[in-house]
């Protein structure tokens, strides 16, 4: 019973920390705020986490590494290249749609542009997915610039979910086309058309 209660408390701290970090950024959030919003004493919070930086690192690891499994492409020799590319994009769109706070944290990290945290995000969190997608891009078109194309495909999906708050005010906005499957199909169609044209 105590173990379950401890896990619930830890999950609540993580959820609160993720929300605050994604909304205000690392520098603006204090341990006192995290403790208050998660109904934890400040002393108890420091027993679990020695510093805000340690908690932030754990939130990053939890938010990205734990959920990243959902959008990794596994190797299947019988699956077509186009199917693998679509599945990767579709999984990523579903991941971003289901983890809005993570999408916001991506955006916040880009805005803050702290070299240390950005480097961790790139090297320890996103590099495997980046390399998986890059391999698919190279297989689809060895003549294209694989790094640029890979970043553009990632960027299309990220940008769609990072701009959720203001794009609903664009002329002709229709909430019914916001399904991750529909968005993935549009990104895939643009990506595959671009790969075939270069």
């Amino acid at each position: 019973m105590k173990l379950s209660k401890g896990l619930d408390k830890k999950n609540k701290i993580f959820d609160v920390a993720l929300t605050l970090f994604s909304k205000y950024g690392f520098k603006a959030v204090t341990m006192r705020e995290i403790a208050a919003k998660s109904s934890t004493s400040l002393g108890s919070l420091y027993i679990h986490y020695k510093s805000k930086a340690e908690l932030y690192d754990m939130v990053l690891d939890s938010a990205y590494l734990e959920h990243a499994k959902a959008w990794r492409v596994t190797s299947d020799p019988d699956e077509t290249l186009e199917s693998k590319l679509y599945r990767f994009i579709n999984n990523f769109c579903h991941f971003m749609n289901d983890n809005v706070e993570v999408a916001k944290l991506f955006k916040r990290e880009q805005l803050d542009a702290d070299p240390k945290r950005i480097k961790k995000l790139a090297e320890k969190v996103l590099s495997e997915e980046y390399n998986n997608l890059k391999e698919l891009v190279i297989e689809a078109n060895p003549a294209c610039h694989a790094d640029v194309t890979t970043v553009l495909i990632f960027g299309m999906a990220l940008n769609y979910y990072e701009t959720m708050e203001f794009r609903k005010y664009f002329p002709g906005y229709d909430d019914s086309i916001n399904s991750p499957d529909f968005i993935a199909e549009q990104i895939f169609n643009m990506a595959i058309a671009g790969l075939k044209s270069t």
Side-chain angles (χ1 to χ4, degrees):
M1 187 74 165
K2 279 189 176 181
L3 182 63
S4 176
K5 194 173 181 179
L7 283 174
D8 288 345
K9 177 60 76 178
K10 187 174 181 177
N11 289 338
K12 183 162 186 174
I13 290 168
F14 269 48
D15 290 345
V16 166
L18 174 59
T19 300
L20 291 174
F21 287 139
S22 65
K23 190 170 184 180
Y24 302 109
F26 176 79
K27 289 181 182 176
V29 175
T30 66
M31 290 290 269
R32 188 173 301 282
E33 286 176 293
I34 294 168
K37 297 264 186 198
S38 61
S39 304
T40 306
S41 73
L42 190 58
S44 178
L45 188 59
Y46 275 110
I47 287 171
H48 296 292
Y49 307 101
K50 293 177 182 141
S51 67
K52 180 172 76 167
E54 180 184 286
L55 174 56
Y56 186 84
D57 282 348
M58 294 189 83
V59 166
L60 267 187
D61 290 344
S62 175
Y64 297 114
L65 297 176
E66 196 174 299
H67 296 297
K69 297 171 191 162
W71 46 284
R72 287 191 173 138
V73 173
T74 54
S75 181
D76 180 354
D78 296 327
E79 188 175 14
T80 66
L81 172 65
E82 288 191 3
S83 174
K84 283 192 268 190
L85 184 59
Y86 174 77
R87 188 161 49 91
F88 185 97
I89 294 168
N90 186 267
N91 287 349
F92 186 50
C93 287
H94 274 274
F95 169 76
M96 296 307 286
N97 184 73
D98 297 343
N99 297 279
V100 176
E101 292 300 326
V102 175
K104 289 179 183 176
L105 191 56
F106 265 114
K107 185 176 183 178
R108 172 54 58 194
E109 283 303 332
Q110 292 174 63
L111 291 171
D112 287 352
D114 178 271
K116 197 174 184 180
R117 292 196 315 272
I118 289 284
K119 185 177 182 196
K120 176 181 177 157
L121 202 57
E123 292 180 353
K124 295 188 177 176
V125 178
L126 294 173
S127 64
E128 186 177 344
E129 283 65 37
Y130 176 85
N131 287 329
N132 286 343
L133 179 56
K134 185 176 172 181
E135 284 177 23
L136 294 176
V137 165
I138 291 168
E139 190 179 341
N141 185 345
C144 77
H145 193 293
D147 289 302
V148 171
T149 304
T150 301
V151 169
L152 288 172
I153 294 171
F154 259 122
M156 282 190 281
L158 280 172
N159 186 261
Y160 191 81
Y161 290 99
E162 288 174 349
T163 59
M164 289 177 90
E165 295 304 318
F166 70 81
R167 63 183 157 75
K168 59 186 165 190
Y169 299 105
F170 286 159
Y173 173 80
D174 180 359
D175 194 48
S176 69
I177 60 168
N178 275 335
S179 83
D181 293 323
F182 181 79
I183 301 312
E185 185 179 344
Q186 305 311 303
I187 294 170
F188 170 77
N189 289 340
M190 285 188 281
I192 208 73
L195 286 166
K196 286 179 176 178
S197 70
T198 54

